[in-house]
Amino acid sequence: MAGKARWIGRWFSHLCSSPIGALAAVAMVASPQLFSPAGAQEASQLQNHVLGIGNCPIWHPQSVEVCKHSLEKVVAALAPRIGAGPEHVHLLINEGASAAALKRKATELSNQLGAQDRLIIFANVPLGQPGADSTADTPGYVLELWASEKPENADAAISDGTWISTSAFAALIHALPAAEVILVLDTNNSHAVSMALLDGHSLDHEARPEALISSSGAGQAANYSADRTISLFAKHLALALGETDGTLLDAMSTAAAGTRQAAIPICASLMENQSQAEGQPADCAQVPEIHDPDDVLAGTALVPLDDSNLN
């Protein structure tokens, strides 16, 4: 608690360093309910935890290092900005990002998280489409988690527990007893996931604040960076976390704007190279989407850059 008090003190001093921030600080002092246990203090003092999931299947064209790099770059930038120490950072990468490993980690987190915790999940994994024989138990798309070889088809992979459907993934998240959850999906087919994946789920915690960020919009496919060493959104999210003060919403908005701008020349090059190919090329005009009906992102304060050791 003393550590949290010191952080709040540094944050309050940082707030007062500008005229607008000083006015806001005066308003806060004049309205003590904003810092009451039942008010904003409750949200700001949540202990942040990070779960990173990164998987580049060996049958996909990109190197397994791309997902590893994307995940590690984002987590290295995110953890110090939200005060998540090594004991609160959990990484599942490639061989370690199997469905079995994810379920084990979920069980572990279920025993750790509670009403004083916020969980932020960053998932850089490909999404696959189930086959025509899919049942009501395997709706929508599937997370292609690690496997030593490509499954025969998505339905078989779900049946034998190699992959999980996005609906089952949402159910797993809803089973975690955190006070707040933020899910960042950075995938090759982000557009395939409904922005109501969490709050529209049958197991949704209606009273629990949740947010979902998708690295591309409806009908779009996500891009890699120009040198194809990292996902485009992961690159700009890491950059935004390294240069943006304020809240996690500020960083996510900066990352979304940077991704959108950087995608323009990359997409133009892809479209030119695919112009002679058969079929309609994917829409690569990447515009990330932020779904935050409960204002979780705006309520997640970033540790000031001067205190985060990122500068």
Side-chain angles (χ1 to χ4, degrees):
M1 182 64 71
K4 291 178 180 177
R6 286 194 296 271
W7 181 86
I8 291 172
R10 290 198 302 271
W11 176 80
F12 198 84
S13 298
H14 180 80
L15 184 69
C16 293
S17 63
S18 69
I20 295 176
L23 289 174
V26 170
M28 291 175 184
V29 173
S31 303
Q33 67 271 19
L34 291 175
F35 279 99
S36 69
Q41 186 182 38
E42 191 172 277
S44 66
Q45 288 192 359
L46 290 177
Q47 173 62 59
N48 290 308
H49 300 252
V50 178
L51 171 59
I53 308 168
N55 176 39
C56 286
I58 54 178
W59 57 85
H60 278 236
Q62 80 282 350
S63 164
V64 294
E65 293 301 314
V66 174
C67 294
K68 182 175 185 291
H69 186 205
S70 300
L71 180 61
E72 291 178 344
K73 195 78 172 177
V74 167
V75 172
L78 175 62
R81 297 305 311 279
I82 59 171
E87 70 278 13
H88 295 131
V89 175
H90 310 266
L91 301 182
L92 304 177
I93 304 174
N94 289 329
E95 293 95 331
S98 65
L102 176 59
K103 292 171 184 176
R104 286 194 299 270
K105 180 58 65 176
T107 299
E108 176 187 328
L109 289 173
S110 291
N111 295 324
Q112 294 179 5
L113 301 177
Q116 300 303 312
D117 299 295
R118 178 189 293 116
L119 178 62
I120 302 173
I121 304 170
F122 178 80
N124 185 276
V125 297
L127 293 181
Q129 211 170 1
D133 296 332
S134 295
T135 67
D137 296 327
T138 59
Y141 282 68
V142 298
L143 272 71
E144 294 188 8
L145 296 168
W146 181 265
S148 57
E149 58 183 26
K150 185 177 182 179
E152 181 178 346
N153 57 64
D155 295 329
I158 291 175
S159 179
D160 65 21
T162 302
W163 293 347
I164 64 173
S165 69
T166 52
S167 178
F169 183 50
L172 181 147
I173 292 173
H174 286 311
L176 298 174
E180 296 182 357
V181 171
I182 298 169
L183 172 60
V184 184
L185 274 176
D186 184 18
T187 82
N188 62 326
N189 287 323
S190 296
H191 63 280
V193 177
S194 166
M195 296 306 286
L197 175 67
L198 294 181
D199 58 21
H201 197 275
S202 60
L203 300 179
D204 178 43
H205 291 281
E206 293 186 3
R208 181 171 78 179
E210 297 169 337
L212 173 61
I213 297 90
S214 173
S215 65
S216 62
Q220 299 172 349
N223 296 288
Y224 295 107
S225 62
D227 62 7
R228 299 188 69 80
T229 62
I230 187 172
S231 84
L232 190 61
F233 181 71
K235 175 182 177 178
H236 285 275
L237 179 54
L239 286 172
L241 288 164
E243 63 187 22
T244 307
D245 267 325
T247 68
L248 194 53
L249 177 61
D250 295 318
M252 289 292 177
S253 298
T254 299
T259 300
R260 178 178 183 177
Q261 187 65 30
I264 295 173
I266 293 172
C267 185
S269 176
L270 288 172
M271 296 292 282
E272 181 179 349
N273 293 333
Q274 293 179 358
S275 62
Q276 302 302 320
E278 293 184 4
Q280 183 70 23
D283 179 4
C284 53
Q286 186 176 355
V287 183
E289 291 190 5
I290 298 173
H291 180 68
D292 188 13
D294 302 309
D295 292 328
V296 182
L297 299 176
T300 305
L302 295 175
V303 174
L305 280 167
D306 291 343
D307 296 332
S308 67
N309 296 321
L310 283 180
N311 278 355

